[in-house]
Amino acid sequence: MDRYCVMGNPVEHSRSPWIHARFAELTGETLDYGRRLAPLDGFAEAVAAFRAEAERDGHAARGCNVTVPFKFQAAALARQLTPRAALAGAANVLSFRDDGIHGDNSDGIGLVADITRNAGVDLAARDILLLGAGGAGAGVLGPLIEAGAKRVVVANRTVPRAVELVRRHAALALRHGVALEAQAPDGLGGAFDVVVNATASSLAGDAAPVAASALKPGALAIDLMYGPAAAGFMAWAREHGAVPRDGLGMLVEQAAEAFDLWRGVRPPSARVLAELRGQLV
Ligand code: NAP
């Protein structure tokens, strides 16, 4: 049996085991996908232990998803990175291959797929505000640029992190003709068609890490969190005339990318997203 898992700290809340089990069921793939809590100071050791345990049991560990706070460490652990993971400096998908660990980042492509396919919002020529410059912000910036936005502003509480993220993506933005800049969240210029909350502010129960003037009327305001944690941001967006969305669609779409990468089969992500939403109401 091929084994996979999601590794993080905390990880007990993760919906990934359910999503991948459902993908496997619907595509006829045979695999085992679990959940592993890695110590905060022992990510690499936890990956090694997962692989060794599978081998001892006569199975094969094929890969893992990586969640908070290990995405930067996962990229450092990989022997090879896809260009998008290298640009992000963060990996949320590891594949265990004969020639070593390969790292990829499917967060951004998952977010773009959710916005464009599931929410039906075209990102071309739009003004986009990306709040946050941590692992999630780093992963989604490249694909947002590649989606053909007119302008992308990265705003982060710790401004130098936003500046550094923008610096790393400057060449990509130039190639795609996108105006890319870093700003302080409390000094934003203008309003945006799409606001992506990739900060952990919702975890703290805060409404939104930016003033409502950042929202154009009818803007899409998406929090990468989901469930009760996203409720404050979504209520704030609704109150200020925006269309709120949570991160559940991104979660399913980034998982579908990982499943396709590992198994070579595209799972029916829209169906699984609908089922998951049904469970959470
Ligand atoms: P991270 O690497 O720890 O980064 C956290 C970010 O949030 C940093 O930019 C940090 O700013 C900012 N922040 C934290 N608390 C804040 C507050 N109270 N007000 C304003 N900014 C605050 O975490 P991450 O990996 O980027 O994850 C961020 C969130 O996205 C998490 O909640 C995670 O669950 C979610 N996520 C969801 C998906 C999905 O599939 N739906 C995928 C990835 C991540 P500083 O730099 O100033 O500290």
Side-chain angles (χ1 to χ4, degrees):
M1 177 83 88
D2 288 348
R3 279 192 187 168
Y4 303 86
C5 71
V6 55
M7 210 169 272
N9 187 334
V11 78
E12 62 275 9
H13 65 285
S14 175
R15 293 278 169 174
S16 292
W18 184 87
I19 293 169
H20 281 278
R22 190 69 183 123
F23 284 169
E25 203 176 346
L26 292 170
T27 56
E29 292 288 301
T30 304
L31 56 86
D32 177 73
Y33 189 110
R35 180 188 276 121
R36 308 273 294 204
L37 179 72
L40 289 173
D41 60 352
F43 174 69
E45 292 78 3
V47 171
F50 172 63
R51 300 181 71 181
E53 227 174 81
E55 200 171 320
R56 203 180 51 227
D57 297 347
H59 299 293
R62 299 287 183 200
C64 66
N65 283 126
V66 181
T67 187
V68 182
F70 299 120
K71 290 179 187 183
F72 295 114
Q73 288 182 53
L77 187 66
R79 185 169 178 267
Q80 276 192 43
L81 290 174
T82 57
R84 63 191 180 193
L87 188 59
N92 72 321
V93 189
L94 295 180
S95 303
F96 308 140
R97 301 194 184 155
D98 292 344
D99 64 345
I101 297 178
H102 289 231
D104 195 1
N105 194 313
S106 64
D107 277 342
I109 193 123
L111 175 67
V112 170
D114 184 54
I115 292 175
T116 56
R117 284 209 302 266
N118 301 333
V121 172
D122 185 5
L123 289 172
R126 299 300 187 111
D127 289 318
I128 300 177
L129 174 61
L130 173 60
L131 298 164
V140 303
L141 181 56
L144 287 174
I145 291 169
E146 287 167 344
K150 182 171 79 189
R151 173 178 182 235
V152 180
V153 171
V154 182
N156 193 50
R157 185 176 61 177
T158 308
V159 179
R161 288 186 86 187
V163 171
E164 169 56 19
L165 193 57
V166 161
R167 190 195 59 75
R168 283 218 312 274
H169 287 75
L172 182 72
L174 196 65
R175 277 205 301 282
H176 287 269
V178 176
L180 176 64
E181 55 192 287
Q183 291 186 8
D186 56 1
L188 286 177
F192 299 83
D193 302 294
V194 177
V195 174
V196 177
N197 185 17
T199 76
S201 66
S202 298
L203 279 179
D206 299 344
V210 72
S213 55
L215 298 166
K216 283 188 188 173
L220 176 71
I222 179 163
D223 194 336
L224 301 197
M225 296 293 295
Y226 49 87
F233 179 87
M234 290 176 57
W236 168 84
R238 201 176 291 113
E239 271 163 31
H240 294 96
V243 178
R245 190 166 180 84
D246 66 9
L248 206 58
M250 171 182 170
L251 180 74
V252 174
E253 297 297 349
Q254 63 78 26
E257 279 293 318
F259 192 91
D260 194 350
L261 176 78
W262 287 329
R263 311 300 299 181
V265 185
R266 193 82 206 164
S269 51
R271 173 171 172 183
V272 172
L273 174 58
E275 290 176 359
L276 195 53
R277 282 210 188 283
Q279 284 179 14
L280 292 180
V281 288

